[in-house]
Amino acid sequence: MILTVTLNTALDVTYRVPRLLPHASHRVAGVSERPGGKGINVARVLAALGHEATATGFAGGPVGAVVRELLADSPGVVDALVPCAGTTRRTVAVADEASGDTTQFNEPGPLITAAEWARFLERYEELLAAGTRAVALCGSLPPGVPVGAYAVLVRAARAAGVPVLLDTSGEALRRGVAARPEIIKPNAAELAELTGSREPLPATRDARRRGAHAVVTSLGPDGLLAATPEGAWRAAPPRALAGNPTGAGDSAVAGLLSALAEGLDWPERLTRAVALSAATVLAPAAGEFDPRTYEEVRGSVKVTRAD
């Protein structure tokens, strides 16, 4: 089993409009809803790759009930969400069909009480002990959860002998890195905020010195840069890709985590992550990927040393 943690679970709502105009009323051409939050997105991709994926975090109120109903229809994903009294947030994406751009509105999330956080920690430790092979800690923290929450979760996983991938930002990332996760996966802006450096390779090495065993940085359309105990690597798709990047980062996390759980080496981990990310960009539906496209791209990913 691979465990994903989404403390700030969401109901992702997407509106499609012919053209998005400020200060105007819009007729919606289509609307979709799906369970969201970075870790849940990762769990869906893991399941599509054939892994048993369990998703935990918080869910509450009428929106949380919808998230759980929709999650029950996600093949291969086990619902281990912990109830909370507050209402799960919504994220609203407005997709402009004319430009291809998407405008995102993210709610802050429910207020989590100290008792609810304590119940989650109990559930998390139970899941770690139930045959978990790897864990992903993903996304923002809802109000009320301690800013050092990810550091606590990293240490608990390490004590259980379970490798951790941490994908968050800001102070939560800064404190989480100090707990020594196996991998962190910031984007370039998050890495610069963590280290103060905008030079990707020195910044990834700096982040390793802060505690991460390995650092994998997203370079957007240019692929991934990794600083690892075996050296530094760059992995890039075969060509510039036009499409929707929504969910591409979560697909990359799923690629890294699944390859870690399978014991693959770094070139293979990065190849899988870049291919999944590229297949997600090329998919017609945001956050999904076509297995045939993934296999095609995988054979053309270029991995080189960056030392």
Side-chain angles (χ1 to χ4, degrees):
M1 173 181 74
I2 299 179
L3 178 65
T4 72
V5 175
T6 313
L7 295 176
N8 213 1
T9 307
L11 177 65
D12 290 344
V13 183
T14 301
Y15 295 113
R16 291 188 295 105
V17 298
R19 185 181 297 274
L20 181 61
L21 299 172
H23 317 299
S25 296
H26 296 80
R27 186 175 298 278
V28 176
V31 60
S32 63
E33 295 181 337
R34 68 176 190 170
K38 292 177 72 64
I40 287 181
N41 297 339
V42 171
R44 275 198 301 265
V45 177
L46 288 169
L49 292 171
H51 285 272
E52 180 185 348
T54 296
T56 190
F58 291 105
V63 178
V66 174
V67 167
R68 301 191 83 159
E69 286 178 18
L70 294 173
L71 193 60
D73 293 329
S74 299
V77 179
V78 176
D79 176 359
L81 295 170
V82 175
C84 64
T87 297
T88 295
R89 67 183 178 135
R90 293 165 296 179
T91 67
V92 178
V94 182
D96 183 333
E97 294 180 331
S99 67
D101 293 333
T102 299
T103 302
Q104 190 89 9
F105 301 89
N106 296 331
E107 297 178 359
L111 176 65
I112 303 300
T113 68
E116 289 166 344
W117 173 238
R119 283 198 296 274
F120 172 80
L121 288 176
E122 291 178 5
R123 181 64 172 137
Y124 177 70
E125 293 188 352
E126 290 171 357
L127 290 166
L128 289 176
T132 294
R133 299 168 62 197
V135 58
L137 308 175
C138 302
S140 62
L141 301 177
V145 171
V147 70
Y150 282 136
V152 172
L153 299 183
V154 170
R155 285 194 290 268
R158 284 174 55 82
V162 178
V164 182
L165 187 155
L166 176 62
D167 183 14
T168 188
S169 60
E171 188 62 23
L173 175 59
R174 189 180 307 278
R175 298 198 186 194
V177 168
R180 303 186 65 80
E182 187 74 13
I183 304 172
I184 63 170
K185 200 209 76 63
N187 60 33
E190 292 162 349
L191 183 66
E193 183 183 8
L194 174 66
T195 65
S197 172
R198 295 195 174 276
E199 294 294 329
L201 185 55
T204 54
R205 289 171 170 158
D206 184 359
R208 281 201 69 220
R209 287 191 292 270
R210 293 167 186 261
H213 191 67
V215 180
V216 181
T217 304
S218 172
L219 303 176
D222 294 327
L224 299 173
L225 171 67
T228 79
E230 289 79 34
W233 308 83
R234 288 185 184 271
R239 64 187 186 281
L241 304 173
N244 188 345
T246 302
D250 300 331
S251 292
V253 168
L256 291 169
L257 195 65
S258 60
L260 171 66
E262 294 170 27
L264 301 183
D265 62 19
W266 272 105
E268 284 297 321
R269 295 181 195 182
L270 295 170
T271 296
R272 180 178 294 183
V274 169
L276 281 170
S277 180
T280 301
V281 170
L282 294 170
E288 306 292 340
F289 77 95
D290 177 33
R292 288 174 298 180
T293 303
Y294 161 63
E295 291 297 340
E296 290 171 3
V297 175
R298 184 178 181 182
S300 303
V301 172
K302 184 176 182 181
V303 180
T304 57
R305 295 302 297 253
D307 295 297

